[in-house]
Amino acid sequence: MSDLLGGPVEAAAGLAVYGADAVDKSAPASTRDALVRAEVPGRLAAKDASLWGPDAEAEAKIRLGWVDTHRRSRELLVQLAELTAELGDLDHVVLAGMGGSSLAPEVIARTMGRPLTVLDTTDPGQVRAALGDRLERTVVVVASKSGSTVETDSHRRAYWQAFLDAGMTEAEAGRHFVIVTDPGSPLEATATEMGAFTVLADPNVGGRYSALTAFGLVPSALAGVEVAELIDQADELVASLAGDRDNPALALGAALGAAATLARDKVALVSDGTGIEGFGDWAEQLIAESTGKAGVGILPVVVESPRSPGATGPDVLTVSYGGALAPGDTPGGGASPDVAVNGPLGAQFLAWEYATAVAGVVLGIDPFNQPNVTESKENTNKILASGLPAETPSFTEGAIEVYAPQGAPGDLTGVLRWLLDALGDDGYVAVMAYLDRFADADTARLRTLLAEAGGRPVTFGWGPRFLHSTGQYHKGGPQVGSFLQVTGAVAEDLPVPGKPYTFGELQAAQAAGDRQALAGRERPLLRLHLTDRAAGVAQLLDAAGELRA
Ligand SMILES: O=P(O)(O)OC[C@H]1O[C@](O)(CO)[C@@H](O)[C@@H]1O
C-alpha cells in the first residue's frame, strides 16, 4: 500500500486521483511515460480508433462517442423536463434493462437518494414482486441498446400484460412505458406499435460506456434526479483528457494497466463512504467486460467495506472511490487503498471510461467488444428450444442438491473446501446466484465467508445480471477461476407473455447455458440447487462458515 497523502495527487475538475504515481513507479518502466510517448492522451481525446490495433479499429470507430456524448446529451434536457412533467402522476419508476442499460442509473439514483426499482433479473419471485408493486402509478423504462436482450424483452411483455390485466386499454398501457434504445433497433419499432414514448440514444457509445447518454439520464431524470449536474461535472473534466499532465483519468488508467502487467490483475473496488453509492457494480461491468478477453484482463472485485476480506492481497490493486473530499478528509475513508479516486459522479463516470480504455491499450485488447458473452446466450437459446439437460445430483444434503464433478467430496463443507483448494496463487472464486436479490439477499454473505476461508479474491454476482458483466471475464479472461453456481426452487412461476417459456424456465436455461460454457473450459465448477431457498441459504452459509474453523 502506498502512502496516499505522501505522494502526488493528480486532479482536475474536482476529481482527484491519489496513489497512482506510486503504482506506476513500482514497475521497472513507467507505463504512464510509455502512454505519453505514444501520445495516447491526445489521441484518445481526439477519438483515434487505431489505438487498440487494427483488429479493434472497426468497432472502435463506432464506439468512441462516450468521450463527448454528454455534450449531445444536453439536447435531451428539455425533452426530459417535458416528459417528467407529462408523467408526473406516475411516481413509481421501474427500469428494465441489463448491464450497461441499468447499472449507471442505479448508481445515480442511489447516490442522489431517489427511488428507482431496477429490474435486471429473470427470477420469477423478484419479477412478480415488481409487477405487484403500485402498478397504477408505475412508469416502466425499457432500456436496451440492441433492442433484443431477452431479459428486457420479457419484462416489457410482462408489464404490458399486467397493465392490460389491470383493466387498461392498450393506449392507456402505452403511456406507462418509456423506451430507450438505439435508432433502428427492433425495440424502436415495437415502441411505435405500443404507442410508447421513445428516446433514441447515441449509437456511437457502447452499453457499458453509456452512463451519460439517454441510458443513464432518462431513468434518472424520471426518478427525480437533476441530471444536468452530471453533464456539467463530466464537461468540466473533458479539458484535462488530452493532457499529458494534470490528467487524473490518465493517472488512473496507467495505474490499472501498470498493476495488471505486474500481475496485480485484480482490482478491489471499495467505497470510502463519502457519498457515491453502488459505483462498484457499475465499474465492475465496465472493467470486466472491457478487459476480460483473449486470456487476459483485470478482475474487478466489489467488496463491502475497506476491511472486508479480499479488499487487499498480493495480486490485488485496492482502489477506493467516493465523492469530493472535504478539506481535512483523508482519501480512502480510514483504510489505506493503493489508489483513491474522489470527485463528483459525472466526472467519475467519464474518468473510469477513459481509464478503462487506457488500460485496454496497455493490455493490448479491444475494450469495446464482448466476444464471449454470446456463447452462454446461444446455449440458453438451444436449451429453451430443446429442454433442460437431465442431470442427477452427486448427493443431497438437507435442502441442497449438490452437482459436483466425479472425485469431489461427498459432503457440502467438503465440496466447498475442494473448490477453494483448487485455486492457484492467482486464482479467484466466482459465486453466481440465480436467485432473488432481495428475498434471498443473505446469499451475498457467501462472498466474505469464502474469501476469508480461501484467502483469495471472491466475486459475487446475481444471475443473470452478472452475465452482462463479469460473465465475459469468466470465459474470456485468464482461466484461473473456480465457479460456484447457486440455483433455487421456484415457488410460483410466471409466464413470459407471448413466449413458450416461463421466467423460471428462462432463468434455469440461463444458468444451464452458462454452466455449459464454463464446463467447456475445464475449470472447477460446482452447482448447488436449493430445494427450499430459505433453508438452503441458511445451510449454505453455515457450511461456508465452518470452512474458517
Ligand atoms: O442494452 P442491451 O443491448 O440490452 O444490452 C445489455 C447488456 O448486454 C451486453 O450487451 C452483453 O452482456 C452488455 O454489454 C450490455 O450492457
Side-chain angles (χ1 to χ4, degrees):
M1 295 270 176
S2 60
D3 173 7
L4 291 177
L5 290 179
V9 183
E10 195 134 344
L15 186 88
V17 172
Y18 305 80
D21 190 57
V23 175
D24 189 41
K25 290 217 164 77
S26 65
S30 163
T31 297
R32 183 183 178 136
D33 288 352
L35 289 164
V36 167
R37 274 196 303 278
E39 299 175 359
V40 169
R43 289 169 63 196
L44 183 51
K47 304 186 195 171
D48 179 344
S50 70
L51 274 169
W52 300 272
D55 292 346
E57 195 163 343
E59 181 80 12
K61 273 192 178 140
I62 53 161
R63 288 288 172 251
L64 281 164
W66 53 267
V67 171
D68 55 7
T69 196
H70 57 276
R71 293 195 170 145
R72 289 180 291 287
S73 291
R74 271 199 206 286
E75 293 163 19
L76 284 175
L77 294 177
V78 173
Q79 195 184 13
L80 286 178
E82 283 168 8
L83 185 63
T84 312
E86 153 75 23
L87 300 178
D89 55 320
L90 305 181
D91 59 358
H92 177 222
V93 184
V94 173
L95 169 58
M98 302 306 293
S101 293
S102 57
L103 290 164
E106 190 169 54
V107 179
I108 297 169
R110 281 183 63 186
T111 298
M112 307 299 177
R114 300 301 308 166
L116 176 69
T117 300
V118 174
L119 198 55
D120 57 358
T121 181
T122 45
D123 184 82
Q126 197 180 325
V127 177
R128 189 185 287 283
L131 291 169
D133 184 15
R134 292 166 282 169
L135 197 63
E136 300 288 329
R137 287 159 46 195
T138 294
V139 56
V140 187
V141 182
V142 179
S144 173
K145 184 159 265 293
S146 62
S148 59
T149 296
V150 65
E151 296 93 334
T152 312
D153 181 60
S154 305
H155 299 143
R156 182 189 64 76
R157 288 167 180 273
Y159 264 103
W160 180 258
Q161 190 62 50
F163 289 129
L164 298 186
D165 290 349
M168 291 184 201
T169 63
E170 293 199 347
E172 284 165 350
R175 182 178 173 267
H176 286 254
F177 288 92
V178 172
I179 309 291
V180 183
T181 190
D182 271 8
S185 86
L187 183 57
E188 187 189 1
T190 309
T192 310
E193 281 166 31
M194 293 165 66
F197 193 91
T198 306
V199 183
L200 296 178
D202 185 342
N204 290 317
V205 181
R208 53 188 179 270
Y209 294 79
S210 69
L212 296 168
T213 72
F215 284 100
L217 303 182
V218 172
S220 306
L222 285 170
V225 174
E226 293 290 338
V227 295
E229 208 180 308
L230 295 166
I231 295 175
D232 292 343
Q233 292 162 353
D235 209 34
E236 279 180 37
L237 188 73
V238 164
S240 71
L241 298 183
D244 296 345
R245 298 159 62 84
D246 301 324
N247 182 344
L250 173 66
L252 177 61
L256 292 173
T261 56
L262 291 169
R264 290 171 83 190
D265 59 355
K266 284 93 185 164
V267 171
L269 296 163
V270 193
S271 166
D272 70 6
T274 55
I276 294 188
E277 302 295 329
F279 188 80
D281 288 353
W282 175 81
E284 178 188 57
Q285 188 215 14
L286 178 70
I287 296 169
E289 237 186 18
S290 300
T291 70
K293 55 197 69 162
V296 296
I298 299 171
L299 177 71
V301 183
V302 180
V303 298
E304 299 74 13
S305 78
R307 280 164 205 82
S308 296
T312 60
D315 55 347
V316 178
L317 183 78
T318 309
V319 182
S320 69
Y321 62 82
L325 294 174
D329 278 359
T330 309
S336 46
D338 298 299
V339 176
V341 187
N342 284 90
L345 184 55
Q348 291 266 7
F349 283 134
L350 181 55
W352 285 80
E353 288 163 3
Y354 180 103
T356 303
V358 167
V361 174
V362 178
L363 291 172
I365 47 87
D366 175 355
F368 306 117
N369 67 0
Q370 51 281 332
N372 304 98
V373 169
T374 38
E375 199 180 325
S376 299
K377 284 186 191 169
E378 281 166 10
N379 291 345
T380 296
N381 289 339
K382 282 187 208 143
I383 293 166
L384 283 173
S386 62
L388 282 169
E391 285 166 286
T392 316
S394 314
F395 63 91
T396 300
E397 199 174 296
I400 303 182
E401 290 175 355
V402 178
Y403 298 78
Q406 270 193 345
D411 67 289
L412 183 57
T413 310
V415 281
L416 291 174
R417 169 60 62 200
W418 164 83
L419 199 72
L420 297 180
D421 286 349
L423 292 172
D425 287 348
D426 56 353
Y428 69 95
V429 178
V431 182
M432 306 161 293
Y434 290 78
L435 299 171
D436 179 332
R437 77 167 155 132
F438 301 113
D440 306 316
D442 274 357
T443 319
R445 286 177 43 215
L446 266 179
R447 200 207 72 75
T448 46
L449 292 171
L450 295 178
E452 223 167 4
R456 295 295 312 148
V458 177
T459 62
F460 184 92
W462 296 104
R465 172 182 158 112
F466 82 87
L467 289 174
H468 302 274
S469 172
T470 45
Q472 166 60 39
Y473 180 98
H474 295 164
K475 274 106 45 186
Q479 293 304 295
V480 296
S482 285
F483 299 93
L484 173 59
Q485 189 184 82
V486 187
T487 55
V490 170
E492 201 182 346
D493 209 346
L494 187 69
V496 179
K499 292 287 175 185
Y501 49 78
T502 62
F503 276 95
E505 285 160 356
L506 175 56
Q507 183 188 39
Q510 289 179 308
D514 197 41
R515 267 197 319 273
Q516 286 176 352
L518 292 168
R521 286 165 172 79
E522 294 177 7
R523 296 296 312 157
L525 169 63
L526 183 64
R527 176 191 172 205
L528 305 177
H529 181 71
L530 315 180
T531 52
D532 173 316
R533 290 194 184 198
V537 169
Q539 195 187 328
L540 182 51
L541 294 175
D542 278 352
E546 277 172 32
L547 295 169
R548 276 180 301 178

